[in-house]
Amino acid sequence: HETADTVRALAMWMTWKCAVVDIPLGGGKGGVICDPHNLSDAEQERLCRGWVRQLAKNMGPEIDVPAPDVMTSARHMLWMLDEFEAVHGSRQPGFITGKPVGMGGSLGRTEATGYGVIYILREALKDLGLKAEETTASFQGFGNVSQYAGILFSQMGGKVIAVSCWDNTDNKSYTIRKKEGLDIEMLKSITNTYGTIDRTKATAAGCEVLSGEEWLSQDVDILIPSALENQITPANMDKISKRVKIIAEGANGPTTPDADELIKEKGILMLPDFLANAGGVTCSYFEQVQSNTNFYWEKDEVLSKLDTKLTAAYRAVYDLAQRKDIYMRDAAYVIAINRVVQAVKMRGWVR
């Protein structure tokens, strides 16, 4: 029951996420409970194909379109697509997104969620009168989202001081820190597919290795939780530096609801998850459009469209928050829920 409740909550999350960035999709969540660390490639493939066979009648380009999330990759999506097409006996690349480029996938999809976090952050920095090159950030997690967000933030001139990562062998997390600024490209090169950084190589490159929770207590301007839910709570709020001005939620639900009130009191600008990390689902929409029309865009065009979409969404949320003097998360909910309400009213589902 707890798992079912979580899936239902995440499905609503996706509904609001699609609505706040104004893309014509609904919302849903699902998956398989397993630990891919303990599964061979062959076992993972059989699991992907078996899952699709069970749901092949309930999914499709015009019904329910899956996409990658935690612990899945383009390879998993392609296995699922191949099985779906085998079941139906036809070519249907629009069935699933997050596919490899060249197999119906979209250029820019890999970077989309991480880049999207930074597109939103860039606009927030403008509103606070801050220059990216004068700011520092700390990340929780070092998977796909953190890696590409960190790369783009560094390209903008910002410094990433710390990132945390999970070590499955030790069954604990660690924080990798370098006060002068981490080389994110280098860290990415010594990170495995599950986001675990090689600490020996990191230390050799001049990095410190700290305990996992230390990402939160760094003396930085920006905190970017980008891995797991419930990472910022009333119990650890006192660890957040007084210097922090922005929290950008790269993960789903990294802040507990009761911590929001404390964040408000601290005067920290919150960039809520279903706005800040909407780059992935937005680019999935772009991929679906491309797959269904069999016409694919260049990478610069994809990222330009993504930037335009997310910037417009941020502007709408920030302007409403300022105009009504409400919290950014509340403003995002107001916009998203109003759009859904308007849609169901126009269809005549409610009066």
Side-chain angles (χ1 to χ4, degrees):
H1 292 301
E2 183 178 347
T3 300
D5 289 343
T6 299
V7 170
R8 280 192 289 270
L10 289 171
M12 291 306 298
W13 234 321
M14 292 304 299
T15 300
W16 309 139
K17 188 181 295 189
C18 291
V20 81
V21 293
D22 201 20
I23 56 176
L25 301 178
K29 278 286 185 178
V32 179
I33 299 173
C34 67
D35 184 353
H37 295 96
N38 300 322
L39 298 176
S40 68
D41 286 352
E43 288 171 329
Q44 291 182 43
E45 181 176 357
R46 290 199 298 272
L47 195 59
C48 288
R49 291 181 182 276
W51 185 76
V52 167
R53 285 195 299 272
Q54 292 298 315
L55 295 173
K57 292 182 179 179
N58 304 108
M59 297 190 294
E62 304 297 332
I63 306 173
D64 193 339
V65 180
D69 207 320
V70 179
M71 294 292 179
T72 58
S73 66
R75 180 180 61 169
H76 297 100
M77 301 305 107
L78 188 56
W79 287 333
M80 293 181 192
L81 173 63
D82 186 69
E83 192 66 24
F84 184 84
E85 290 182 338
V87 169
H88 289 275
S90 60
R91 182 177 180 275
Q92 301 193 45
F95 154 66
I96 199 165
T97 65
K99 304 180 295 293
V101 173
M103 298 298 292
S106 175
L107 292 166
R109 178 62 181 86
T110 303
E111 300 93 336
T113 307
Y115 275 24
V117 173
I118 303 306
Y119 293 154
I120 298 289
L121 175 61
R122 177 197 63 206
E123 297 304 305
L125 290 173
K126 290 178 186 176
D127 287 326
L128 295 184
L130 299 171
K131 295 180 179 179
E133 58 268 27
E134 296 173 354
T135 60
T136 55
S138 177
F139 286 76
Q140 190 261 329
F142 199 62
N144 175 273
V145 178
S146 287
Q147 289 173 17
Y148 286 102
I151 287 169
L152 186 56
F153 182 67
S154 298
Q155 289 174 356
M156 287 169 48
K159 284 184 181 180
V160 179
I161 300 301
V163 300
S164 72
C165 68
W166 180 258
D167 187 299
N168 199 58
T169 302
D170 293 352
N171 200 33
K172 62 186 292 189
S173 61
Y174 295 91
T175 295
I176 309 299
R177 182 177 72 177
K178 192 172 185 179
K179 291 184 178 180
E180 299 78 22
L182 293 165
D183 182 340
I184 302 300
E185 291 278 12
M186 183 279 293
L187 281 186
K188 185 172 180 288
S189 73
I190 61 171
T191 300
N192 69 16
T193 55
Y194 301 109
T196 302
I197 298 168
D198 186 319
R199 297 193 302 281
T200 301
K201 292 180 179 178
T203 302
C207 302
E208 302 173 77
V209 177
L210 310 174
S211 61
E213 67 274 8
E214 286 301 312
W215 75 275
L216 186 65
S217 59
Q218 299 305 304
D219 193 26
V220 294
D221 303 290
I222 305 156
L223 292 175
I224 308 181
S226 300
L228 300 173
E229 66 278 359
N230 302 328
Q231 296 303 297
I232 300 176
T233 70
N236 62 19
M237 277 291 299
D238 61 331
K239 293 183 178 180
I240 295 178
S241 167
K242 292 181 180 179
R243 179 177 171 179
V244 172
K245 302 173 184 67
I246 299 173
I247 295 175
E249 295 185 320
N252 286 321
T255 306
T256 61
D258 48 1
D260 272 331
E261 290 300 322
L262 301 174
I263 291 169
K264 291 180 194 177
E265 291 174 11
K266 285 177 173 284
I268 297 172
L269 179 63
M270 167 60 71
L271 304 179
D273 47 11
F274 66 103
L275 171 65
N277 69 24
V281 72
T282 303
C283 201
S284 277
Y285 164 61
F286 294 161
E287 181 178 333
Q288 183 188 10
V289 170
Q290 294 171 81
S291 290
N292 288 343
T293 59
N294 202 30
F295 181 80
Y296 292 87
W297 310 331
E298 295 299 322
K299 186 174 182 177
D300 286 348
E301 182 177 0
V302 174
L303 295 177
S304 176
K305 290 179 185 292
L306 180 66
D307 193 347
T308 298
K309 210 54 164 148
L310 294 183
T311 297
Y314 170 83
R315 282 282 138 228
V317 173
Y318 184 80
D319 290 349
L320 179 63
Q322 292 296 300
R323 192 167 65 252
K324 298 292 187 180
D325 190 25
I326 57 177
Y327 194 48
M328 282 283 284
R329 194 187 309 281
D330 296 336
Y333 274 126
V334 168
I335 288 173
I337 293 171
N338 277 341
R339 284 175 176 163
V340 173
V341 168
Q342 183 64 23
V344 298
K345 280 184 175 180
M346 290 174 70
R347 284 181 173 270
W349 296 352
V350 297
R351 301 295 179 187

